[in-house]
Amino acid sequence: MIRFYFHPTPNPAKVALFLEESGLPYTVVPVDTRKGEQHDPAFRAINPNSKVPAIVDPDGPDGKPARVFDSTAILLYLAEKTGRFLGTPADRPDLLSWLMFIATGLGPYSGQAVHFQYFAPGDQAYAINRYRREAERHYQVLNDHLKDRAYLVGTHYTIADMSAWGWIDRAARVMNTTDDPLAPWPHLKRFFQTIDARPAVAHARAVGQDHVFKTATDEQSLRALFPSNYPPTP
């Protein structure tokens, strides 16, 4: 059974969706990032970068245990392991391109928009404008691409769609609005609603709900989430 190291944030959500879509047996290992559990030596042995998600597959290549970290790497690994949600061989260039677009663009810029709006102290007007505008630009790229197509790659639902869903699901937080955050991007909104209506999404949203994660943003949380902001511990 795959061990899935999880915290209820966008990148682990993508992996939760794949696991539910594929039916692979897994067990959830909560990692409370606001308590700093991602920095524990036992977890760092799985992901030296101290981030979630990560998995340990006891039945990896040649039947040996395999650790995989980074949500895009995990999606590719599990899709190749199961032979599912990869599209056709002809789709491979587009699949890799959109996965990396999300991994290096949509995800990081959305994450930085969240950081500067909700966590950073002081006047962050420049940073908020920079990262919000870039998140909006990424939304527009997706919206234009989805104008006359149902999915990001080829004609079938793939891991690229799962990856996009994980961050688009947080659009209201990224855009800091209680209104309809996807209204300016109707094709992206339609795409998101299509993915969000899949039965596996409801199961993915339930992952980890039986665990009480810390929600307070106190000094411990800030040091755990953003350790590079602080002097190294001797």
Side-chain angles (χ1 to χ4, degrees):
M1 186 174 291
I2 290 171
R3 297 201 307 276
F4 173 31
Y5 294 83
F6 173 85
H7 186 270
T9 42
N11 288 324
K14 308 170 187 179
V15 177
L17 180 53
F18 183 95
L19 289 167
E20 289 296 330
E21 291 280 16
S22 66
L24 280 170
Y26 70 96
T27 185
V28 175
V29 183
V31 179
D32 199 325
T33 58
R34 286 177 182 250
K35 292 182 179 178
E37 292 175 354
Q38 70 274 32
H39 304 298
D40 291 348
F43 182 72
R44 288 181 60 123
I46 297 164
N47 184 356
N49 195 33
S50 297
K51 303 285 185 181
V52 288
I55 65 168
V56 173
D57 179 7
D59 184 25
D62 299 323
K64 298 177 181 178
R67 62 118 189 242
V68 192
F69 57 87
D70 186 274
S71 60
T72 303
I74 296 169
L75 289 174
L76 278 166
Y77 173 82
L78 293 176
E80 291 173 352
K81 177 184 177 73
T82 60
R84 301 186 64 191
F85 306 113
L86 286 166
T88 68
D91 294 331
R92 183 75 172 185
D94 262 3
L95 179 73
L96 294 175
S97 296
W98 286 110
L99 282 172
M100 298 309 144
F101 169 85
I102 297 161
T104 65
L106 177 65
Y109 281 95
S110 296
Q112 291 300 318
V114 168
H115 175 81
F116 285 105
Q117 291 177 105
Y118 299 99
F119 294 101
D123 180 9
Q124 299 293 336
Y126 174 85
I128 290 170
N129 181 70
R130 162 70 176 161
Y131 288 109
R132 275 271 300 276
R133 290 294 180 88
E134 274 295 285
E136 291 170 357
R137 186 183 69 79
H138 286 97
Y139 282 17
Q140 189 63 52
V141 171
L142 290 169
N143 188 73
D144 292 346
H145 179 65
L146 291 162
K147 181 178 181 179
D148 55 1
R149 58 192 305 128
Y151 301 110
L152 288 177
V153 176
T155 57
H156 300 287
Y157 177 55
T158 69
I159 54 175
D161 304 308
M162 297 180 201
S163 187
W165 169 84
W167 271 106
I168 298 168
D169 185 50
R170 302 301 178 95
R173 186 160 172 81
V174 172
M175 299 302 163
N176 196 11
T177 180
T178 56
D179 297 329
D180 179 359
L182 296 178
W185 304 282
H187 307 303
L188 180 60
K189 180 177 178 179
R190 180 255 310 153
F191 163 83
F192 173 75
Q193 291 175 334
T194 297
I195 307 302
D196 207 51
R198 294 180 67 88
V201 167
H203 297 294
R205 291 191 190 281
V207 171
Q209 287 190 359
D210 57 347
H211 182 83
V212 179
F213 289 92
K214 181 177 179 179
T215 58
T217 304
D218 54 18
E219 183 72 11
Q220 180 197 37
S221 298
L222 293 173
R223 285 181 175 273
L225 293 170
F226 315 117
S228 57
N229 288 351
Y230 298 87
T233 303

